Amino acid sequence: MRYGAVAIVDFSLSEELLAMRAHVRQFARAEIAPLAAELDAEPRFPRDTLAKMGELGLLGVLTPEDYGGAGLDTLSYVVLLEEIAAADASHATIMSVTNGLPQTMLLRYGSDEQKRRYLPRLASGEWIGAFCLSEPHAGSDAVAMTTRAQRVEGGYRLNGTKAWITGGGEADLYLVMAKTDPAAGARGVSCFLVEGGTPGMSFGRPERKLGQHAAITTTVTFDDCVVPETALLGPEGQGFVIAMASLDGGRIGIAALAVGVARAAFEAARDYANERTAFGRPIRRFQAVGFSLADMDTQIEAARMLTYRAAWLKDRGYRVTREAAQAKLFASEAAARITHDAIQVFGGYGYTKDYPVERYFRDARVTEIYEGTSEIQRMVIERQIYRDLDRR
């Protein structure tokens, strides 16, 4: 693991990546964007379009080709994820989750058998992955989880409830954090691979959320759910450690998602301000609107550059805990401001469902919460400021 900042960051996009971005943008606008309002009004898990994303390699972007993935780097991943998010945040969240901890943790810590069994299915989109850490009373304080995994003959018995699980009841593989040694704190948490349909596993009703309605979210309950010893991912007692070590990539993904939603809101406001007239001229010619658009555009560029920087450094082996938290914090809060300001540009129309900006506003809000709240990101950044200082 490499530490420290570099003086010059060169993350100019290759011609190949630019071509991929153009192709994914065309796909997202043709196949996903037309469904976004319908999925918001009548939520359902978008399996058909997810299957098409799988065919394009978008559900296994970071997974090596040997396991059926696209074998691309983190920078490519965030560039492509932004395009999906600009079309629909729900699709982007599902893409982020199944690309994220399920596949990255399997790749880094899975046995050869586990990798061969699960990665090709996840990377192709045949299966969707989910990550189960939070509980009804244990969110940011994840170590306070009460889900238990007790050794039984030939495996483990799981009992407990997980909350806010994207893809709950829809996913095919769940990475579940449970305590194997409650007295050991973070060192007593282990990770288990639980396939959908395992006896003793059940799901709550979909949460009635503010936004991202098609990214179905439920509780997942384990009631004497027995899994074999081969379901243990990594060493016993190391689940929390390996999950935390994998979070940086997830936060970079949410930053890219936030940039995509913000970009969609900005583009809608930009076009509307050029078409809508008042007092004989386009409203963009009024300083209040023009300055708002300028601020929105600047914040998007800043958020995107922070995201690219974190991805670029991660691809080169740097530890990016600080950079990932900065990108996630800034991009998510920028998305909240930009979607708010986009509604303001539309005026009364922005408050209606006749235009998409109210949906962008609702979809953006959760980016300040999942994968660690803004408050958690600030805590992480503050700690890293002093850790990096001590390493000099």
Side-chain angles (χ1 to χ4, degrees):
M1 185 68 69
R2 302 167 68 184
Y3 296 92
V6 292
I8 298 175
V9 176
D10 178 14
F11 39 67
S12 55
L13 305 185
S14 67
E15 290 297 321
E16 182 182 7
L17 180 52
L18 290 172
M20 282 192 288
R21 183 180 68 177
H23 183 64
V24 171
R25 180 175 296 184
Q26 182 180 25
F27 164 80
R29 288 177 173 174
E31 300 286 346
I32 296 176
L35 300 174
E38 175 190 338
L39 291 172
D40 182 60
E42 299 178 4
R44 67 178 186 277
F45 201 70
R47 285 200 172 271
D48 290 345
T49 40
L50 288 172
K52 294 177 182 178
M53 289 171 63
E55 292 172 3
L56 289 177
L58 294 173
L59 300 185
V61 178
L62 301 169
T63 297
E65 293 180 3
D66 289 347
Y67 294 108
L72 301 178
D73 60 11
T74 312
L75 181 59
S76 300
Y77 170 62
V78 298
V79 168
L80 303 181
L81 181 59
E82 178 187 329
E83 296 305 320
I84 299 300
D88 179 48
S90 290
H91 280 79
T93 288
I94 298 167
M95 175 180 169
S96 174
V97 170
T98 197
N99 266 287
L101 293 177
Q103 291 184 60
T104 57
M105 288 176 64
L106 270 165
L107 191 60
R108 292 181 64 182
Y109 303 104
S111 66
D112 288 341
E113 180 185 352
Q114 289 170 335
K115 292 176 184 177
R116 288 194 302 270
R117 177 173 176 79
Y118 295 119
L119 282 175
R121 292 173 172 175
L122 292 168
S124 67
E126 177 189 350
W127 280 22
I128 297 294
F131 181 65
C132 304
L133 175 63
S134 295
E135 297 186 359
H137 301 289
S140 297
D141 182 14
V143 180
M145 72 177 70
T146 59
T147 298
R148 289 288 311 277
Q150 296 175 302
R151 273 193 171 273
V152 296
E153 184 177 353
Y156 296 83
R157 179 186 292 115
L158 275 60
N159 282 284
T161 297
K162 296 297 182 178
W164 312 112
I165 308 307
T166 300
E170 301 286 349
D172 305 279
L173 181 68
Y174 299 78
L175 270 69
V176 182
M177 296 294 167
K179 285 187 174 178
T180 44
D181 183 0
R187 295 286 178 176
V189 177
S190 301
C191 182
F192 298 90
L193 302 167
V194 184
E195 296 183 15
T198 301
M201 187 181 189
S202 61
F203 307 94
R205 64 168 178 78
E207 301 290 350
R208 299 173 63 191
K209 301 181 297 182
L210 179 68
Q212 299 199 20
H213 294 157
I216 302 299
T217 304
T218 73
T219 56
V220 181
T221 297
F222 303 93
D223 185 8
D224 289 338
C225 178
V226 177
V227 296
E229 289 184 359
T230 55
L232 179 67
L233 179 67
E236 188 174 299
Q238 293 297 301
F240 188 77
V241 175
I242 63 179
M244 293 303 103
S246 304
L247 273 180
D248 291 344
R251 288 170 176 166
I252 296 171
I254 298 305
L257 189 158
V259 171
V261 176
R263 192 190 91 200
F266 164 71
E267 290 175 351
R270 176 200 64 195
D271 295 347
Y272 183 78
N274 195 43
E275 297 165 2
R276 178 78 158 88
T277 60
F279 305 101
R281 54 180 173 169
I283 62 172
R284 69 177 178 83
R285 300 287 297 277
F286 293 94
Q287 191 176 78
V289 175
F291 278 14
S292 179
L293 293 170
D295 287 344
M296 293 159 71
D297 185 48
T298 302
Q299 290 176 73
I300 290 170
E301 290 298 327
R304 184 182 287 120
M305 290 302 103
L306 280 171
T307 304
Y308 283 9
R309 177 175 181 263
W312 189 91
L313 289 170
K314 185 175 185 298
D315 287 333
R316 280 148 187 81
Y318 286 90
R319 179 174 180 174
V320 292
T321 300
R322 180 179 179 181
E323 291 80 4
Q326 288 173 333
K328 200 269 189 186
L329 172 66
F330 186 86
S332 63
E333 295 195 346
R337 290 190 298 269
I338 290 163
T339 54
H340 171 279
D341 292 347
I343 290 176
Q344 205 70 15
V345 170
F346 275 79
Y349 288 116
Y351 197 65
T352 72
K353 293 186 181 295
D354 294 333
Y355 292 90
V357 287
E358 62 85 29
R359 171 164 49 84
Y360 300 146
F361 176 78
R362 291 184 287 106
D363 286 346
R365 185 62 181 86
V366 75
T367 63
E368 298 177 88
I369 298 173
Y370 59 12
E371 292 283 358
T373 64
S374 290
E375 290 75 19
I376 290 294
Q377 305 312 313
R378 288 183 167 92
M379 289 172 59
V380 169
I381 293 165
E382 183 271 335
R383 284 198 301 264
Q384 290 302 130
I385 288 171
Y386 289 98
R387 287 177 181 173
D388 290 348
L389 186 64
D390 291 342
R391 295 189 186 103
R392 293 180 183 176

